[in-house]
Amino acid sequence: KLSSVVRLAVPIRTFFDVGAHRGGYTAEILQRFPNAKGILFEPLSDNASHLKARFASQLNIQIEEVAISKRSCQAGFYGQQKASALGSLYERKLDHFGVTFEHLQEVNVKRLDDFLSWIENMGGLDLIKMDIEGSEYDALEGGACVLPLTKAVQFEFGGCNIDSRTFVQDFWRLFQKAGFNLYRMTPFGPFRLDDYQEWDEFFITTNFLALKR
């Protein structure tokens, strides 16, 4: 996932890893940019404890045990198990795959804009990575002040967007308004969506990259 971001948006000095899970994405960033400063957002307590232990020696890494969405509040968090990689603020309907979601815990929810002062102190944000199982658009809505200070956003889109009722059209319009070009990541490299077409809507897991124009 990271290779395309590295090629298009180097160097990464500052980043947000939203939905950090067990820290694999951040570890890959630090392999290439060991001095990068980042905040990892992970609401599940088991995963957050793992992240704190994994990056305990990294003074440039901050762990926030919160979910990110469009408002600051407390909310239920759902998934298959305590350290679920599919954990979501949405109680997804996956019984057609034989997968049952259950309430895992209550979590603290914040907005990206709640961390605006950190970004301003750092002189801007090079990358936001989001893999938060359907809450990506909600998170962007809660980051209206953050986006103008951000160079690149990588986010996942797929079946979870059926549950959150969000579409490629929503992201395309938001990023057009915010001054970003939107790319679909493909096996052949990034494909820029110069305009929106209804056939852009398919719910097979895909990564998108938005780059500030």
Side-chain angles (χ1 to χ4, degrees), residues 15-45:
F15 69 95
F16 282 177
D17 186 347
V18 185
H21 193 233
R22 310 292 275 187
Y25 191 98
T26 287
E28 201 171 336
I29 287 179
L30 293 177
Q31 278 187 342
R32 292 160 170 77
F33 309 105
N35 296 319
K37 295 179 173 63
I39 302 181
L40 281 61
F41 300 92
E42 175 55 49
L44 286 178
S45 54

PDB file of all heavy atoms in Angstrom, residues 15-45:
ATOM      1  N   PHE A  15       2.747  12.719   9.622  1.00  0.00           N
ATOM      2  CA  PHE A  15       1.655  11.877   9.126  1.00  0.00           C
ATOM      3  C   PHE A  15       0.682  11.528  10.245  1.00  0.00           C
ATOM      4  O   PHE A  15       1.026  11.559  11.426  1.00  0.00           O
ATOM      5  CB  PHE A  15       2.202  10.600   8.483  1.00  0.00           C
ATOM      6  CG  PHE A  15       2.831   9.632   9.459  1.00  0.00           C
ATOM      7  CD1 PHE A  15       2.106   8.577   9.991  1.00  0.00           C
ATOM      8  CD2 PHE A  15       4.158   9.787   9.842  1.00  0.00           C
ATOM      9  CE1 PHE A  15       2.685   7.696  10.893  1.00  0.00           C
ATOM     10  CE2 PHE A  15       4.754   8.900  10.739  1.00  0.00           C
ATOM     11  CZ  PHE A  15       4.011   7.851  11.265  1.00  0.00           C
ATOM     12  N   PHE A  16      -0.536  11.197   9.836  1.00  0.00           N
ATOM     13  CA  PHE A  16      -1.551  10.608  10.703  1.00  0.00           C
ATOM     14  C   PHE A  16      -1.838   9.204  10.183  1.00  0.00           C
ATOM     15  O   PHE A  16      -2.106   9.036   8.991  1.00  0.00           O
ATOM     16  CB  PHE A  16      -2.853  11.406  10.673  1.00  0.00           C
ATOM     17  CG  PHE A  16      -2.862  12.671  11.494  1.00  0.00           C
ATOM     18  CD1 PHE A  16      -3.985  13.485  11.462  1.00  0.00           C
ATOM     19  CD2 PHE A  16      -1.785  13.042  12.277  1.00  0.00           C
ATOM     20  CE1 PHE A  16      -4.026  14.659  12.208  1.00  0.00           C
ATOM     21  CE2 PHE A  16      -1.810  14.214  13.021  1.00  0.00           C
ATOM     22  CZ  PHE A  16      -2.943  15.021  12.988  1.00  0.00           C
ATOM     23  N   ASP A  17      -1.800   8.211  11.060  1.00  0.00           N
ATOM     24  CA  ASP A  17      -2.208   6.845  10.724  1.00  0.00           C
ATOM     25  C   ASP A  17      -3.543   6.610  11.423  1.00  0.00           C
ATOM     26  O   ASP A  17      -3.596   6.288  12.611  1.00  0.00           O
ATOM     27  CB  ASP A  17      -1.141   5.852  11.190  1.00  0.00           C
ATOM     28  CG  ASP A  17      -1.438   4.423  10.750  1.00  0.00           C
ATOM     29  OD1 ASP A  17      -2.567   4.156  10.303  1.00  0.00           O
ATOM     30  OD2 ASP A  17      -0.540   3.559  10.878  1.00  0.00           O
ATOM     31  N   VAL A  18      -4.625   6.804  10.690  1.00  0.00           N
ATOM     32  CA  VAL A  18      -5.969   6.738  11.262  1.00  0.00           C
ATOM     33  C   VAL A  18      -6.526   5.332  11.040  1.00  0.00           C
ATOM     34  O   VAL A  18      -6.766   4.919   9.914  1.00  0.00           O
ATOM     35  CB  VAL A  18      -6.888   7.791  10.619  1.00  0.00           C
ATOM     36  CG1 VAL A  18      -8.249   7.784  11.316  1.00  0.00           C
ATOM     37  CG2 VAL A  18      -6.261   9.176  10.685  1.00  0.00           C
ATOM     38  N   GLY A  19      -6.699   4.607  12.128  1.00  0.00           N
ATOM     39  CA  GLY A  19      -7.008   3.189  12.064  1.00  0.00           C
ATOM     40  C   GLY A  19      -5.713   2.406  12.004  1.00  0.00           C
ATOM     41  O   GLY A  19      -5.480   1.612  11.096  1.00  0.00           O
ATOM     42  N   ALA A  20      -4.856   2.626  13.004  1.00  0.00           N
ATOM     43  CA  ALA A  20      -3.494   2.074  12.958  1.00  0.00           C
ATOM     44  C   ALA A  20      -3.445   0.577  13.201  1.00  0.00           C
ATOM     45  O   ALA A  20      -2.473  -0.082  12.837  1.00  0.00           O
ATOM     46  CB  ALA A  20      -2.617   2.796  13.999  1.00  0.00           C
ATOM     47  N   HIS A  21      -4.468   0.017  13.839  1.00  0.00           N
ATOM     48  CA  HIS A  21      -4.557  -1.403  14.149  1.00  0.00           C
ATOM     49  C   HIS A  21      -3.330  -1.862  14.930  1.00  0.00           C
ATOM     50  O   HIS A  21      -3.127  -1.443  16.060  1.00  0.00           O
ATOM     51  CB  HIS A  21      -4.777  -2.231  12.874  1.00  0.00           C
ATOM     52  CG  HIS A  21      -5.177  -3.643  13.154  1.00  0.00           C
ATOM     53  ND1 HIS A  21      -4.510  -4.723  12.625  1.00  0.00           N
ATOM     54  CD2 HIS A  21      -6.153  -4.154  13.935  1.00  0.00           C
ATOM     55  CE1 HIS A  21      -5.062  -5.844  13.049  1.00  0.00           C
ATOM     56  NE2 HIS A  21      -6.080  -5.521  13.847  1.00  0.00           N
ATOM     57  N   ARG A  22      -2.425  -2.647  14.315  1.00  0.00           N
ATOM     58  CA  ARG A  22      -1.244  -3.155  15.043  1.00  0.00           C
ATOM     59  C   ARG A  22       0.045  -2.434  14.643  1.00  0.00           C
ATOM     60  O   ARG A  22       1.128  -2.814  15.057  1.00  0.00           O
ATOM     61  CB  ARG A  22      -1.078  -4.656  14.826  1.00  0.00           C
ATOM     62  CG  ARG A  22      -2.327  -5.474  15.063  1.00  0.00           C
ATOM     63  CD  ARG A  22      -2.763  -5.512  16.512  1.00  0.00           C
ATOM     64  NE  ARG A  22      -2.080  -6.545  17.274  1.00  0.00           N
ATOM     65  CZ  ARG A  22      -2.370  -6.891  18.535  1.00  0.00           C
ATOM     66  NH1 ARG A  22      -3.347  -6.236  19.164  1.00  0.00           N
ATOM     67  NH2 ARG A  22      -1.713  -7.834  19.159  1.00  0.00           N
ATOM     68  N   GLY A  23      -0.055  -1.415  13.780  1.00  0.00           N
ATOM     69  CA  GLY A  23       1.087  -0.559  13.502  1.00  0.00           C
ATOM     70  C   GLY A  23       1.908  -0.903  12.283  1.00  0.00           C
ATOM     71  O   GLY A  23       2.975  -0.319  12.070  1.00  0.00           O
ATOM     72  N   GLY A  24       1.436  -1.818  11.434  1.00  0.00           N
ATOM     73  CA  GLY A  24       2.222  -2.233  10.274  1.00  0.00           C
ATOM     74  C   GLY A  24       2.483  -1.100   9.291  1.00  0.00           C
ATOM     75  O   GLY A  24       3.589  -0.983   8.749  1.00  0.00           O
ATOM     76  N   TYR A  25       1.488  -0.264   9.050  1.00  0.00           N
ATOM     77  CA  TYR A  25       1.644   0.834   8.088  1.00  0.00           C
ATOM     78  C   TYR A  25       2.675   1.836   8.594  1.00  0.00           C
ATOM     79  O   TYR A  25       3.565   2.275   7.859  1.00  0.00           O
ATOM     80  CB  TYR A  25       0.295   1.506   7.871  1.00  0.00           C
ATOM     81  CG  TYR A  25       0.250   2.471   6.708  1.00  0.00           C
ATOM     82  CD1 TYR A  25      -0.248   2.074   5.472  1.00  0.00           C
ATOM     83  CD2 TYR A  25       0.694   3.782   6.843  1.00  0.00           C
ATOM     84  CE1 TYR A  25      -0.310   2.958   4.404  1.00  0.00           C
ATOM     85  CE2 TYR A  25       0.639   4.674   5.774  1.00  0.00           C
ATOM     86  CZ  TYR A  25       0.141   4.255   4.564  1.00  0.00           C
ATOM     87  OH  TYR A  25       0.092   5.135   3.514  1.00  0.00           O
ATOM     88  N   THR A  26       2.559   2.205   9.867  1.00  0.00           N
ATOM     89  CA  THR A  26       3.520   3.156  10.441  1.00  0.00           C
ATOM     90  C   THR A  26       4.927   2.592  10.432  1.00  0.00           C
ATOM     91  O   THR A  26       5.902   3.309  10.136  1.00  0.00           O
ATOM     92  CB  THR A  26       3.095   3.528  11.873  1.00  0.00           C
ATOM     93  OG1 THR A  26       1.958   4.391  11.802  1.00  0.00           O
ATOM     94  CG2 THR A  26       4.215   4.253  12.615  1.00  0.00           C
ATOM     95  N   ALA A  27       5.081   1.307  10.732  1.00  0.00           N
ATOM     96  CA  ALA A  27       6.412   0.688  10.718  1.00  0.00           C
ATOM     97  C   ALA A  27       7.038   0.795   9.341  1.00  0.00           C
ATOM     98  O   ALA A  27       8.246   1.038   9.201  1.00  0.00           O
ATOM     99  CB  ALA A  27       6.317  -0.774  11.150  1.00  0.00           C
ATOM    100  N   GLU A  28       6.209   0.663   8.296  1.00  0.00           N
ATOM    101  CA  GLU A  28       6.722   0.768   6.925  1.00  0.00           C
ATOM    102  C   GLU A  28       7.150   2.203   6.613  1.00  0.00           C
ATOM    103  O   GLU A  28       8.161   2.432   5.946  1.00  0.00           O
ATOM    104  CB  GLU A  28       5.661   0.288   5.941  1.00  0.00           C
ATOM    105  CG  GLU A  28       6.244  -0.130   4.601  1.00  0.00           C
ATOM    106  CD  GLU A  28       5.226  -0.815   3.716  1.00  0.00           C
ATOM    107  OE1 GLU A  28       4.248  -1.376   4.229  1.00  0.00           O
ATOM    108  OE2 GLU A  28       5.431  -0.766   2.487  1.00  0.00           O
ATOM    109  N   ILE A  29       6.377   3.172   7.091  1.00  0.00           N
ATOM    110  CA  ILE A  29       6.777   4.576   6.907  1.00  0.00           C
ATOM    111  C   ILE A  29       8.123   4.829   7.579  1.00  0.00           C
ATOM    112  O   ILE A  29       9.030   5.451   6.999  1.00  0.00           O
ATOM    113  CB  ILE A  29       5.710   5.524   7.480  1.00  0.00           C
ATOM    114  CG1 ILE A  29       4.482   5.551   6.578  1.00  0.00           C
ATOM    115  CG2 ILE A  29       6.277   6.948   7.641  1.00  0.00           C
ATOM    116  CD1 ILE A  29       3.370   6.453   7.076  1.00  0.00           C
ATOM    117  N   LEU A  30       8.271   4.342   8.813  1.00  0.00           N
ATOM    118  CA  LEU A  30       9.493   4.626   9.574  1.00  0.00           C
ATOM    119  C   LEU A  30      10.718   3.925   8.989  1.00  0.00           C
ATOM    120  O   LEU A  30      11.844   4.372   9.194  1.00  0.00           O
ATOM    121  CB  LEU A  30       9.299   4.224  11.040  1.00  0.00           C
ATOM    122  CG  LEU A  30       8.264   5.059  11.808  1.00  0.00           C
ATOM    123  CD1 LEU A  30       8.104   4.529  13.230  1.00  0.00           C
ATOM    124  CD2 LEU A  30       8.644   6.534  11.825  1.00  0.00           C
ATOM    125  N   GLN A  31      10.503   2.822   8.271  1.00  0.00           N
ATOM    126  CA  GLN A  31      11.635   2.183   7.585  1.00  0.00           C
ATOM    127  C   GLN A  31      12.230   3.130   6.554  1.00  0.00           C
ATOM    128  O   GLN A  31      13.443   3.164   6.353  1.00  0.00           O
ATOM    129  CB  GLN A  31      11.176   0.893   6.889  1.00  0.00           C
ATOM    130  CG  GLN A  31      11.091  -0.304   7.808  1.00  0.00           C
ATOM    131  CD  GLN A  31      10.808  -1.580   7.037  1.00  0.00           C
ATOM    132  OE1 GLN A  31      10.351  -1.554   5.889  1.00  0.00           O
ATOM    133  NE2 GLN A  31      11.085  -2.709   7.649  1.00  0.00           N
ATOM    134  N   ARG A  32      11.375   3.896   5.872  1.00  0.00           N
ATOM    135  CA  ARG A  32      11.822   4.799   4.817  1.00  0.00           C
ATOM    136  C   ARG A  32      12.137   6.200   5.340  1.00  0.00           C
ATOM    137  O   ARG A  32      13.025   6.864   4.832  1.00  0.00           O
ATOM    138  CB  ARG A  32      10.745   4.883   3.727  1.00  0.00           C
ATOM    139  CG  ARG A  32      10.570   3.571   2.960  1.00  0.00           C
ATOM    140  CD  ARG A  32       9.207   3.550   2.266  1.00  0.00           C
ATOM    141  NE  ARG A  32       9.070   2.441   1.345  1.00  0.00           N
ATOM    142  CZ  ARG A  32       8.841   1.185   1.709  1.00  0.00           C
ATOM    143  NH1 ARG A  32       8.747   0.876   2.993  1.00  0.00           N
ATOM    144  NH2 ARG A  32       8.735   0.230   0.802  1.00  0.00           N
ATOM    145  N   PHE A  33      11.386   6.609   6.359  1.00  0.00           N
ATOM    146  CA  PHE A  33      11.539   7.963   6.905  1.00  0.00           C
ATOM    147  C   PHE A  33      11.617   7.875   8.429  1.00  0.00           C
ATOM    148  O   PHE A  33      10.640   8.171   9.125  1.00  0.00           O
ATOM    149  CB  PHE A  33      10.360   8.845   6.477  1.00  0.00           C
ATOM    150  CG  PHE A  33      10.093   8.826   4.996  1.00  0.00           C
ATOM    151  CD1 PHE A  33       9.023   8.122   4.491  1.00  0.00           C
ATOM    152  CD2 PHE A  33      10.928   9.509   4.118  1.00  0.00           C
ATOM    153  CE1 PHE A  33       8.775   8.093   3.123  1.00  0.00           C
ATOM    154  CE2 PHE A  33      10.693   9.487   2.752  1.00  0.00           C
ATOM    155  CZ  PHE A  33       9.616   8.775   2.257  1.00  0.00           C
ATOM    156  N   PRO A  34      12.751   7.443   8.975  1.00  0.00           N
ATOM    157  CA  PRO A  34      12.850   7.160  10.419  1.00  0.00           C
ATOM    158  C   PRO A  34      12.618   8.368  11.310  1.00  0.00           C
ATOM    159  O   PRO A  34      12.301   8.199  12.487  1.00  0.00           O
ATOM    160  CB  PRO A  34      14.273   6.614  10.576  1.00  0.00           C
ATOM    161  CG  PRO A  34      15.012   7.067   9.349  1.00  0.00           C
ATOM    162  CD  PRO A  34      14.008   7.132   8.264  1.00  0.00           C
ATOM    163  N   ASN A  35      12.763   9.575  10.776  1.00  0.00           N
ATOM    164  CA  ASN A  35      12.563  10.774  11.588  1.00  0.00           C
ATOM    165  C   ASN A  35      11.162  11.369  11.446  1.00  0.00           C
ATOM    166  O   ASN A  35      10.884  12.426  12.015  1.00  0.00           O
ATOM    167  CB  ASN A  35      13.611  11.831  11.225  1.00  0.00           C
ATOM    168  CG  ASN A  35      15.021  11.370  11.550  1.00  0.00           C
ATOM    169  OD1 ASN A  35      15.262  10.771  12.590  1.00  0.00           O
ATOM    170  ND2 ASN A  35      15.958  11.631  10.640  1.00  0.00           N
ATOM    171  N   ALA A  36      10.298  10.689  10.700  1.00  0.00           N
ATOM    172  CA  ALA A  36       8.940  11.197  10.508  1.00  0.00           C
ATOM    173  C   ALA A  36       8.204  11.235  11.839  1.00  0.00           C
ATOM    174  O   ALA A  36       8.327  10.327  12.668  1.00  0.00           O
ATOM    175  CB  ALA A  36       8.186  10.322   9.514  1.00  0.00           C
ATOM    176  N   LYS A  37       7.436  12.293  12.039  1.00  0.00           N
ATOM    177  CA  LYS A  37       6.640  12.442  13.257  1.00  0.00           C
ATOM    178  C   LYS A  37       5.194  12.119  12.925  1.00  0.00           C
ATOM    179  O   LYS A  37       4.644  12.625  11.935  1.00  0.00           O
ATOM    180  CB  LYS A  37       6.766  13.862  13.803  1.00  0.00           C
ATOM    181  CG  LYS A  37       8.162  14.221  14.276  1.00  0.00           C
ATOM    182  CD  LYS A  37       8.219  15.653  14.790  1.00  0.00           C
ATOM    183  CE  LYS A  37       9.568  15.959  15.423  1.00  0.00           C
ATOM    184  NZ  LYS A  37      10.676  15.866  14.450  1.00  0.00           N
ATOM    185  N   GLY A  38       4.578  11.282  13.754  1.00  0.00           N
ATOM    186  CA  GLY A  38       3.221  10.867  13.445  1.00  0.00           C
ATOM    187  C   GLY A  38       2.361  10.640  14.659  1.00  0.00           C
ATOM    188  O   GLY A  38       2.864  10.422  15.772  1.00  0.00           O
ATOM    189  N   ILE A  39       1.055  10.700  14.433  1.00  0.00           N
ATOM    190  CA  ILE A  39       0.072  10.315  15.441  1.00  0.00           C
ATOM    191  C   ILE A  39      -0.680   9.101  14.920  1.00  0.00           C
ATOM    192  O   ILE A  39      -1.165   9.098  13.783  1.00  0.00           O
ATOM    193  CB  ILE A  39      -0.916  11.449  15.748  1.00  0.00           C
ATOM    194  CG1 ILE A  39      -0.186  12.695  16.238  1.00  0.00           C
ATOM    195  CG2 ILE A  39      -1.914  10.994  16.812  1.00  0.00           C
ATOM    196  CD1 ILE A  39      -1.111  13.856  16.587  1.00  0.00           C
ATOM    197  N   LEU A  40      -0.772   8.062  15.743  1.00  0.00           N
ATOM    198  CA  LEU A  40      -1.505   6.845  15.413  1.00  0.00           C
ATOM    199  C   LEU A  40      -2.820   6.864  16.179  1.00  0.00           C
ATOM    200  O   LEU A  40      -2.830   7.050  17.400  1.00  0.00           O
ATOM    201  CB  LEU A  40      -0.702   5.601  15.791  1.00  0.00           C
ATOM    202  CG  LEU A  40       0.420   5.169  14.836  1.00  0.00           C
ATOM    203  CD1 LEU A  40       1.489   6.235  14.704  1.00  0.00           C
ATOM    204  CD2 LEU A  40       1.029   3.854  15.314  1.00  0.00           C
ATOM    205  N   PHE A  41      -3.919   6.663  15.460  1.00  0.00           N
ATOM    206  CA  PHE A  41      -5.255   6.676  16.057  1.00  0.00           C
ATOM    207  C   PHE A  41      -5.810   5.257  16.046  1.00  0.00           C
ATOM    208  O   PHE A  41      -5.954   4.652  14.975  1.00  0.00           O
ATOM    209  CB  PHE A  41      -6.176   7.605  15.276  1.00  0.00           C
ATOM    210  CG  PHE A  41      -5.702   9.031  15.228  1.00  0.00           C
ATOM    211  CD1 PHE A  41      -4.894   9.476  14.185  1.00  0.00           C
ATOM    212  CD2 PHE A  41      -6.051   9.926  16.218  1.00  0.00           C
ATOM    213  CE1 PHE A  41      -4.458  10.791  14.129  1.00  0.00           C
ATOM    214  CE2 PHE A  41      -5.617  11.254  16.175  1.00  0.00           C
ATOM    215  CZ  PHE A  41      -4.812  11.678  15.134  1.00  0.00           C
ATOM    216  N   GLU A  42      -6.117   4.726  17.221  1.00  0.00           N
ATOM    217  CA  GLU A  42      -6.623   3.358  17.329  1.00  0.00           C
ATOM    218  C   GLU A  42      -7.526   3.258  18.551  1.00  0.00           C
ATOM    219  O   GLU A  42      -7.073   3.414  19.678  1.00  0.00           O
ATOM    220  CB  GLU A  42      -5.462   2.373  17.437  1.00  0.00           C
ATOM    221  CG  GLU A  42      -5.880   0.934  17.682  1.00  0.00           C
ATOM    222  CD  GLU A  42      -6.862   0.407  16.656  1.00  0.00           C
ATOM    223  OE1 GLU A  42      -6.610   0.572  15.443  1.00  0.00           O
ATOM    224  OE2 GLU A  42      -7.895  -0.167  17.063  1.00  0.00           O
ATOM    225  N   PRO A  43      -8.824   3.015  18.352  1.00  0.00           N
ATOM    226  CA  PRO A  43      -9.762   3.050  19.476  1.00  0.00           C
ATOM    227  C   PRO A  43      -9.810   1.791  20.333  1.00  0.00           C
ATOM    228  O   PRO A  43     -10.149   1.869  21.515  1.00  0.00           O
ATOM    229  CB  PRO A  43     -11.106   3.287  18.793  1.00  0.00           C
ATOM    230  CG  PRO A  43     -10.947   2.659  17.441  1.00  0.00           C
ATOM    231  CD  PRO A  43      -9.511   2.895  17.058  1.00  0.00           C
ATOM    232  N   LEU A  44      -9.511   0.619  19.770  1.00  0.00           N
ATOM    233  CA  LEU A  44      -9.619  -0.625  20.533  1.00  0.00           C
ATOM    234  C   LEU A  44      -8.486  -0.725  21.536  1.00  0.00           C
ATOM    235  O   LEU A  44      -7.314  -0.604  21.176  1.00  0.00           O
ATOM    236  CB  LEU A  44      -9.613  -1.831  19.598  1.00  0.00           C
ATOM    237  CG  LEU A  44     -10.896  -2.061  18.797  1.00  0.00           C
ATOM    238  CD1 LEU A  44     -10.734  -3.265  17.867  1.00  0.00           C
ATOM    239  CD2 LEU A  44     -12.089  -2.272  19.724  1.00  0.00           C
ATOM    240  N   SER A  45      -8.820  -0.986  22.788  1.00  0.00           N
ATOM    241  CA  SER A  45      -7.826  -0.949  23.859  1.00  0.00           C
ATOM    242  C   SER A  45      -6.725  -1.978  23.657  1.00  0.00           C
ATOM    243  O   SER A  45      -5.549  -1.691  23.929  1.00  0.00           O
ATOM    244  CB  SER A  45      -8.503  -1.143  25.215  1.00  0.00           C
ATOM    245  OG  SER A  45      -9.290  -2.319  25.232  1.00  0.00           O
TER     246      SER A  45
END
